[in-house]
Amino acid sequence: MFDGSPTEISGLVRPGRVHRRVYTDPAIFELEMERIFGRAWIYVGHASQVPAPGDYVTTRIGRQPVILCRHRDGGLHVLFNRCSHRGAKVCVLASGNTKRFECMYHGWSYDTDGRLLGVPVPEGAQAGFDLADSGLRPVPRVASYRGFVFANCAEDGLSFDDYIGPMTPNIDDLVDRAPAGELLFDAGVHRYVFPGNWKLQIENALDSYHVPSSHASTVNEKGEQFARREGDETGAAVVDRNRTSDAWKGRRSFVVGAAGHGWTSNTALDESGRSSPVFYGYKAALAEAVGETRANEILTPRFHNSLLYPSITVMGLNVHVRVIHPLAVDRTEVHVYPLRYKGAPDAMNQRNIRLLNVTHSAASFVQTDDMEAFARTQAGLASLAEEWVDISRGLGDERPGRDRNVTEGSAMHELVMRQQYAAWLSYMCKAG
Ligand code: FES
Ligand code: FE2
């Protein structure tokens, strides 16, 4: 039986391989909820989703329901979405605006900073009952960077600065593309549930090796869908006309710090779309806001896709943010947010959103391929024929990068997965 001891957990990860149980064992999943999602900084939403007092969105930290809301003083609060009376969720909508959260069960009502405002029939309360002690519990630590709000269920541990610090250039890379310097998460969300473990999605996000085969119909010049998408009236072709699977071999992947973060690089931003009038209009707006030189710098492709472990990817190529919500050991929900650049011409924002519809909507060509790969992987891992999953590509070929203390390797290797499992071990092996 799994006992959760550091010895047993560390036995699940070996150089270049990981035990199948990390994807299939419910006891390991339970421990991940406690030791990773209960201790790591978890992305809970973006400030632009709650711009006005009373605005809120509901989400989860691991499986715990939480509310991100803006109080009337302008402050952001992250509250456990659990009534202090008998435990009901007090807010069930995905988003909205409210003066107070009122629990439907017995009617306790809470202010948007979590304070308990009142209870029905107060004279029935136990002697000494104090409203001030019975508010919605706040998530212990909350911090944000350029609108990205994170919360941490642990009172102490890795500081937010240490968590986010190594990845701020990657976030800046995307946010700076907005002429007004802000991203807007106000263009809806694509939601998926797949029958597989949550780690399959975070491993995949920076896995260039799967692209030529999983997404053959999109990226190979002979792929059927590739041909059909040319001539999109927005000028947005998904991939460069000349891009073949060979082109993916030149990409690099990078990992940084001990927290499991990484990114892939060396892929140009949608080159074919860059010669469109829409792009020129956008570039002019950006140059007007930040100057020609800075605009050129911002639009020089650097970071392709970035992962902030354990649950958010910031995707520069087809502009979006993806948030991974574990539901069970073999069930995961993914939210894909299209982004708008504040201050950019509508045509440019529409073009980005349309591009994401092609690549990541439910009727898309790309994300749906990945969902199929995850389902097949989870199904295959039910086999007891082999205990180990191979993540050894490029083992030993990693080398220090030029700056930012990174380690880099070919994006066709599995450096990123090995780094994620190093972080996984460091969270999972700490008891208490
Ligand atoms: Fe919320 Fe009773 S459970 S008021
Ligand atoms: Fe993919």
Side-chain angles (χ1 to χ4, degrees), residues 130-409:
D130 186 356
L131 291 183
D133 289 341
S134 302
L136 294 177
R137 299 289 176 229
V139 176
R141 292 189 286 165
V142 178
S144 68
Y145 181 76
R146 298 199 75 175
F148 289 76
V149 185
F150 292 78
N152 193 315
C153 293
E155 301 277 353
D156 40 41
L158 186 69
S159 74
F160 184 65
D161 286 350
D162 287 343
Y163 171 79
I164 202 85
M167 293 302 281
T168 54
N170 301 56
I171 294 176
D172 293 343
D173 189 58
L174 190 54
V175 181
D176 287 345
R177 291 190 211 164
E182 283 178 46
L183 294 175
L184 299 173
F185 283 56
D186 61 356
V189 58
H190 302 290
R191 292 169 194 260
Y192 295 85
V193 173
F194 67 87
N197 187 268
W198 63 278
K199 297 185 291 298
L200 296 173
Q201 171 68 96
I202 62 164
E203 292 163 15
N204 167 274
L206 305 185
D207 175 11
S208 297
Y209 185 41
H210 83 288
V211 174
S213 46
S214 284
H215 305 304
S217 61
T218 299
V219 300
N220 291 353
E221 70 272 39
K222 294 195 180 70
E224 297 168 15
Q225 294 164 357
F226 181 88
R228 259 188 258 142
R229 271 198 311 283
E230 291 199 56
D232 176 345
E233 72 275 18
T234 63
V238 169
V239 288
D240 190 293
R241 187 177 227 297
N242 300 315
R243 182 149 300 146
T244 66
S245 56
D246 277 349
W248 298 88
K249 292 182 188 159
R251 296 170 67 191
R252 307 291 291 167
S253 60
F254 301 81
V255 294
V256 63
H261 307 323
W263 66 92
T264 55
S265 188
N266 285 2
T267 295
L269 292 167
D270 183 15
E271 285 159 2
S272 49
R274 291 183 142 225
S275 54
S276 71
V278 170
F279 187 82
Y280 288 135
Y282 156 64
K283 191 174 173 188
L286 185 61
E288 195 175 337
V290 301
E292 188 87 29
T293 311
R294 178 72 186 127
N296 280 328
E297 252 170 49
I298 290 168
L299 295 173
T300 301
R302 290 189 300 157
F303 307 118
H304 176 79
N305 291 330
S306 303
L307 170 86
L308 285 85
Y309 191 86
S311 65
I312 170 176
T313 64
V314 177
M315 313 301 257
L317 177 69
N318 41 13
V319 180
H320 72 281
V321 158
R322 211 178 302 172
V323 185
I324 293 96
H325 296 285
L327 299 175
V329 69
D330 57 358
R331 199 166 161 77
T332 304
E333 185 165 344
V334 181
H335 294 177
V336 178
Y337 292 90
L339 307 175
R340 293 196 314 122
Y341 300 147
K342 190 172 180 181
D346 286 346
M348 181 65 195
N349 284 326
Q350 278 166 14
R351 178 178 167 283
N352 280 344
I353 293 165
R354 284 182 57 103
L355 175 60
L356 194 68
N357 284 343
V358 171
T359 60
H360 286 77
S361 72
S364 66
F365 300 125
V366 177
Q367 180 82 355
T368 40
D369 297 335
D370 292 325
M371 296 291 140
E372 182 63 23
F374 304 158
R376 292 188 194 191
T377 305
Q378 194 73 28
L381 288 172
S383 165
L384 302 178
E386 168 60 55
E387 285 187 89
W388 297 94
V389 173
D390 180 357
I391 50 169
S392 67
R393 287 180 59 85
L395 184 64
D397 285 350
E398 304 91 345
R399 60 169 189 260
R402 276 194 296 276
D403 53 16
R404 287 173 65 186
N405 253 340
V406 304
T407 301
E408 70 168 279

